[in-house]
């Protein structure tokens, strides 16, 4: 299925600009002879992203340098600034970066691994988990050739959770970080994650900012519009998410307190909205936290009938168990969103399915979640009646100038998927139990 809005779409140029550099004019003409609809400016200050600003060319051939300068200055002026740099650089923990892959995107995987191998961190390794079908791994030697930090482990059990668990078992670092094979990490990504954990020893995990690598198609722009990208993509200030006691018996362990850098509580939300904390493409855990709250449920995630939810389940178990998650916007990765509309439709439906599959997993493992989920039904009903809402901690977005709004069909596809989630999880759980007699020990 296609959308009639696709025919009128023109690509949007994603441009990273630093407020401390001289502004340059931006041409509307693309290298292939076509034209950009506009620019999506990722504004940085001191290496840290502070805002995303959209600008339309308005039929002109160039966005002048003084216009770019004005947009950047306005974005910086509206941002309160991050926390001060530590006077003494902290001692960074060793890190193992786990990259699950089914080898479906070999070119993107190679690009991802090259960027990971060159990261700015004194003590790290990259563990590629081969989760492909038998016979597909012939390309792996070429993909990892010349990368001194990279090693490969094999996990034949299908599914991203099984692959992540294999990576954790093989990891040697004090911290285990995760990203995906369609992601390009920023050069300072790992140092930012590790520095956050070094400065905040009370935090069990940390997530970062996920930005689009490109906005070439309407489907890619709609993913940003519909979801704000992944998790906390629109948040540019450091936060801490802590499990908090609820206000009644049903929610006694089902709330999250959001704190700013100084520890002041800025809001609360239901623990089941833990997608606000981040996403699996950009997250890291202390190894001891994974021992306590893990492993990933192998009946959840891409590659299983449940199709997703394994990262959220881990976040929720951690928060409900009294743990805390830091959000560090300096830890930036760039994700290549699905480019065509049929793939986007499938992705959005899978998100809805994965979410309710994840809730089914939590209830099956810890029945107290029944009360927590029931306490959220009135809010969910209001959302269904009103339509989709902003992510839990989204900052006020800039005016959306570029492209048509997403089709309403995406909202209904997500809801349709949600209806299928519980049954899909039960099928997936049966699959794991048939495959592994000790399945329940792997949260299946």
């Amino acid at each position: 299925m296609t959308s009639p809005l696709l025919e009128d779409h023109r690509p949007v140029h994603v441009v990273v600009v630093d407020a401390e550099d001289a502004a340059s004019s931006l041409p509307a003409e693309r290298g292939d002879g076509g034209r950009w609809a506009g620019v999506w400016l990722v504004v940085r200050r001191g290496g840290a992203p502070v805002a995303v600003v959209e600008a339309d060319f308005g039929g002109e051939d160039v966005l002048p340098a003084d216009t770019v300068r004005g947009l950047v200055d306005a974005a910086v002026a509206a941002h309160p600034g991050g926390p001060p740099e530590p006077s003494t650089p902290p001692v960074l923990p060793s890190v193992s970066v786990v990259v699950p892959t089914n080898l479906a995107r070999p070119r993107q995987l190679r690009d991802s691994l090259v960027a990971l191998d060159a990261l700015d961190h004194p003590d790290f390794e990259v563990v590629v988990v081969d989760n492909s079908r038998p016979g597909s791994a012939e390309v792996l030697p070429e993909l990892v050739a010349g990368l001194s930090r990279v090693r490969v482990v094999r996990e034949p059990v299908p599914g991203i959770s099984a692959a992540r668990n294999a990576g954790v078992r093989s990891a040697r670092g004090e911290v285990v970080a995760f990203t995906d094979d369609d992601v390009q990490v920023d050069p300072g990504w790992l140092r930012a994650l590790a520095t956050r954990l070094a400065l905040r020893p009370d935090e069990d995990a940390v997530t970062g900012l996920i930005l689009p690598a490109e906005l070439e198609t309407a489907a890619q722009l709609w993913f940003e519009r519909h979801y704000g990208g992944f998790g906390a993509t629109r948040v540019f200030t450091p936060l801490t998410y802590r499990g908090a006691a609820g206000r009644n018996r049903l929610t006694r362990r089902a709330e999250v307190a959001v704190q700013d850098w100084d520890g002041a509580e800025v809001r609360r939300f239901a623990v089941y909205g833990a997608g606000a904390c981040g996403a699996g493409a950009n997250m890291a855990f202390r190894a001891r936290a994974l021992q306590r709250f893990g492993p990933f449920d192998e009946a959840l995630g891409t590659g299983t009938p449940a199709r997703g939810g394994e990262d959220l389940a881990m976040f929720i178990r951690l928060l409900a168990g009294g743990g805390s998650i830091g959000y560090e916007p300096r830890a930036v990765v760039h994700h290549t969103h699905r480019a065509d509309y049929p793939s986007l439709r499938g992705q959005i439906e899978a998100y809805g399915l994965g979410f309710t599959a994840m809730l089914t997993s939590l209830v099956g493992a810890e029945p107290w979640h029944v009360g927590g989920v029931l306490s959220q039904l009135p809010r969910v009903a209001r959302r269904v009646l009103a339509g989709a809402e902003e992510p839990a901690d989204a900052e006020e977005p800039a005016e959306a100038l570029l492209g048509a709004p997403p089709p309403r069909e995406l909202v209904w596809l997500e809801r349709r998927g949600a209806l299928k989630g519980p049954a899909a999880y039960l099928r997936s759980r049966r699959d794991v139990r048939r495959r592994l007699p000790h399945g329940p020990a792997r949260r299946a």
Side-chain angles (χ1 to χ4, degrees):
M1 179 179 292
T2 59
S3 167
L5 300 175
L6 292 170
E7 299 175 2
D8 298 326
H9 178 79
R10 282 187 296 166
V12 175
H13 195 187
V14 179
V15 182
V16 179
V17 294
D18 197 300
E20 297 166 354
D21 294 340
S24 301
S25 61
L26 299 173
E29 185 175 350
R30 290 162 51 91
D32 61 5
R35 287 179 62 89
W36 298 108
V39 295
W40 208 77
L41 296 174
V42 179
V43 181
R44 290 177 179 257
R45 180 177 58 190
V50 299
V52 167
V53 182
E54 295 184 21
D56 193 337
F57 281 105
E60 300 296 327
D61 292 332
V62 174
L63 194 67
D66 58 348
T67 301
V68 175
R69 181 79 265 168
L71 293 170
V72 170
D73 290 346
V76 170
H79 191 271
E85 293 287 336
S87 56
T88 303
V91 177
L92 301 183
S94 60
V95 184
S96 297
V97 181
V98 174
V99 185
T101 181
N102 62 5
L103 301 179
R105 299 177 286 257
R107 181 187 61 80
Q108 286 185 331
L109 174 60
R110 173 65 183 183
D111 291 344
S112 296
L113 295 179
V114 168
L116 287 167
D117 193 63
L119 282 171
D120 175 24
H121 187 281
D123 186 4
F124 77 99
E125 63 172 353
V126 179
V127 182
V128 177
V129 184
D130 172 16
N131 197 224
S132 64
R133 295 180 178 179
S136 302
E138 297 175 356
V139 298
L140 260 177
E142 180 180 347
L143 295 178
V144 303
L147 305 179
S148 61
R149 300 275 191 171
V150 178
R151 60 188 176 91
V152 178
V153 299
R154 170 70 179 158
E155 176 50 70
V157 175
I160 195 169
S161 287
R164 283 183 171 146
N165 287 339
V168 172
R169 291 192 297 271
S170 178
R172 301 163 183 159
E174 301 165 81
V175 170
V176 184
F178 298 89
T179 190
D180 293 339
D181 62 2
D182 55 357
V183 163
Q184 276 275 82
V185 300
D186 235 34
W189 169 69
L190 198 56
R191 180 174 286 273
L193 291 176
T195 298
R196 175 60 180 258
L197 289 170
L199 293 176
R200 292 298 175 102
D202 59 319
E203 293 178 352
D204 301 287
V206 62
T207 63
L209 181 64
I210 305 177
L211 296 173
E214 63 181 25
L215 294 172
E216 289 284 320
T217 69
Q220 291 174 327
L221 186 61
W222 287 338
F223 183 70
E224 288 293 323
R225 289 274 188 269
H226 185 68
Y227 267 94
F230 285 94
T233 296
R234 287 291 179 263
V235 181
F236 298 95
T237 54
L239 297 170
T240 299
Y241 300 92
R242 298 191 188 279
R247 297 176 176 83
N248 57 58
R249 290 180 63 191
L250 287 179
T251 62
R252 67 190 185 278
R253 289 188 285 176
E255 288 192 3
V256 177
V258 185
Q259 299 174 338
D260 64 17
W261 182 259
D262 297 319
E265 185 172 318
V266 296
R267 67 184 307 273
R268 288 192 175 203
F269 62 86
V271 73
Y272 308 106
C277 300
N282 189 358
M283 63 183 183
F285 298 82
R286 298 187 194 276
R288 64 175 184 265
L290 288 171
Q291 292 172 358
R292 178 182 174 191
F293 298 106
F296 290 93
D297 185 345
E298 295 187 7
L300 289 174
T302 305
T304 74
R307 301 179 69 182
E310 81 294 337
D311 48 356
L312 299 189
M314 182 67 81
F315 292 157
I316 291 170
R317 290 201 302 272
L318 189 154
L319 293 166
S324 62
I325 300 172
Y327 168 70
E328 180 49 64
R330 288 177 179 266
V332 180
V333 304
H334 303 266
H335 180 267
T336 302
H337 302 336
R338 287 163 173 80
D340 61 272
Y341 188 57
S343 295
L344 176 63
R345 293 178 77 253
Q347 180 183 20
I348 298 302
E349 184 170 8
Y351 281 177
L353 189 154
F355 181 74
T356 53
M358 177 270 297
L359 293 180
T360 307
S361 166
L362 293 175
V363 168
E366 298 180 283
W368 72 264
H369 282 289
V370 173
V373 172
L374 289 175
S375 73
Q376 297 303 306
L377 290 181
R379 186 192 66 82
V380 172
R382 289 194 299 271
R383 180 183 178 185
V384 169
L385 292 173
E389 61 185 18
E390 292 295 320
D393 287 298
E395 295 181 355
E396 191 67 27
E399 181 181 1
L401 300 174
L402 303 173
R408 284 289 295 177
E409 177 192 34
L410 295 178
V411 176
W412 295 108
L413 284 169
E414 186 177 9
R415 294 171 184 168
R416 185 176 75 179
L419 295 176
K420 302 175 183 178
Y425 178 74
L426 294 177
R427 289 197 307 274
S428 187
R429 180 171 178 165
R430 285 195 298 269
D431 289 348
V432 174
R433 282 183 164 172
R434 281 197 298 266
R435 187 169 61 236
L436 297 169
H438 57 289
R442 300 176 72 156
R443 292 191 183 269

